[in-house]
Amino acid sequence: MGEKIAGLDVIGDEYYADPHAYHARLREQEPVKQIVLPRGTKAWMVTRYEEGRQVLADPRFAKNFERFPDLMERNHVGDAERNEFDQSLVQHMLNMDPPDHTRLRKLVTKAFTARRVEQLRPRVQEITDELLDRVADGGEVDLIEALAFPLPITVICEMLDVPLDERDDFRKWSNTLVVGGANVERIQEAGMSMAAYLSRLVEHKRANPGDDFFSALVHTSEDGDALNHTELISMAFLLLVAGHETTVNLIASGVYSLLRHPDQLEKLRADRSLLPGAVEEFLRYEGPINQATFRFTTEDVPLGDVVIPKDSLVLVSLLSGNRDEDKFPDADRFDITRPAGGHLAFGHGIHYCLGAPLARLEGEIAVGTLLDRFDVELAAEPETLRWRESTLVHGLHSLPISLKPRGTAAS
Ligand code: HEM
């Protein structure tokens, strides 16, 4: 890593281009290490599987959003201007500790159980079919534009029953907010526009309730005061951004991994019962989230060979934990038949991904249907593909592929 501030590595372009190489070095030499993020925030990066899991399950690594402005100030180094997060977007469960976290998560858990999500299967299949119909003649397409992006966002908008008529703007704001290196003014502007838009969405729901679970949440807040207006905005933000920034990478990185490993693609074509296991391997090998969201220490906490001081920010690298040889033998090998269970791609502990069953369903249907309908090849040199410049999300900017219809379309 080239640039340093206060003797610490600064995360930048070199890291984004190949985070795996940096992680491998850290796992070996300094598995709990202080680094500096692009806008000058100092944090401890945890790169081994066991220690990562330990952090995610330990309440001394806390999340309470009210502490963050102060913690960001304390942990700031260098001259870069600090990010200020729009306060109306942060009051969601992923930024809370129990009992607030428990209360908010409980309100939406039911809508995301494996059983409820399974009921969405026909609709997810239908949306996938419609999207692939648009490219039915084959030729060169960007898989992200054609399928990986529109599928999950359509599904979550239908679940929340929101129109998302400002879809392009939403995508732009969401991208600006998750890509940490953007200019501060742009981040603040995106935050304000997003908050104003979501506020209008909540008002719209209040006036036009449906039988979706988001309407139920809006009305609970009126009757039982369970969620205030800001919490509703933050909840919509969390669910819509999760719907925008994660599953897209599962589908695109999964297909990319298959295309880079033709033997694995052949195996999957020959035996479609391997698909669920293949999706787990997509998640392990090139997971959609790189570093989990910030935790902070509520006291001095020993971890590995170091003691992380109280009030430090901590990042667990899920991407790195999933390449840890001590957990996954021959971890850099992409193998759709390996037992990939126990990977960290969905996190661990009380914040374990609420959307995991939905993401798995979408991943299976998208990749399965794509392979049923087309012969697929990479339409760009791998070295020309760029990964997004973010420590949070891990995914390609675009994935050019060429499609050749396989004759009869399976459903
Ligand atoms: C492949 C796709 C996905 C991946 C890899 C993923 C990953 C994650 C991870 C790693 C966390 C924990 C973050 C942390 O502890 O810092 C998380 C939390 C969460 N995810 Fe996902 N996610 C995916 C899709 C979704 C979808 C589709 C939804 C719902 C629309 C969703 C909703 C949530 C929510 C609400 C939380 C917060 C849970 C809590 O704080 O208790 N995720 N996700």
Side-chain angles (χ1 to χ4, degrees), residues 122-193:
R123 181 63 191 137
V124 173
Q125 182 67 59
E126 197 171 56
I127 299 167
T128 306
D129 291 340
E130 282 165 14
L131 290 167
L132 290 178
D133 284 346
R134 294 184 199 166
V135 294
D137 294 340
E140 201 177 309
V141 300
D142 174 4
L143 183 71
I144 292 181
E145 291 303 319
L147 178 66
F149 179 74
L151 173 65
I153 194 59
T154 307
V155 172
I156 189 67
C157 286
E158 288 190 5
M159 282 181 82
L160 296 172
D161 190 24
V162 298
L164 208 62
D165 40 17
E166 295 170 44
R167 205 175 267 218
D168 291 343
D169 282 337
F170 193 96
R171 184 180 190 180
K172 229 170 40 209
W173 302 326
S174 172
N175 181 53
T176 305
L177 292 172
V178 303
V179 173
N183 137 336
V184 173
E185 270 156 41
R186 273 189 51 218
I187 295 180
Q188 281 167 1
E189 234 175 71
M192 271 163 55
S193 307

Side-chain angles (χ1 to χ4, degrees), residues 253-269:
S253 304
V255 170
Y256 178 62
S257 299
L258 286 172
L259 297 178
R260 294 297 311 275
H261 301 88
D263 60 319
Q264 300 295 308
L265 176 58
E266 278 323 303
K267 245 188 214 170
L268 183 56
R269 282 202 182 283

Side-chain angles (χ1 to χ4, degrees), residues 73-133:
E73 196 175 315
R74 282 168 189 261
N75 289 287
H76 189 73
V77 288
D79 305 326
E81 206 181 330
R82 272 187 306 119
N83 288 342
E84 301 274 358
F85 257 86
D86 195 297
Q87 286 301 300
S88 53
L89 300 178
V90 297
Q91 299 185 34
H92 54 66
M93 67 184 105
L94 188 49
N95 284 334
M96 292 185 188
D97 299 314
D100 296 324
H101 168 264
T102 324
R103 168 182 145 252
L104 287 180
R105 182 156 171 139
K106 211 167 135 203
L107 287 170
V108 290
T109 304
K110 266 205 215 119
F112 287 94
T113 58
R115 202 174 56 82
R116 283 290 283 279
V117 164
E118 190 50 39
Q119 293 167 356
L120 298 174
R121 181 179 286 274
R123 181 63 191 137
V124 173
Q125 182 67 59
E126 197 171 56
I127 299 167
T128 306
D129 291 340
E130 282 165 14
L131 290 167
L132 290 178
D133 284 346

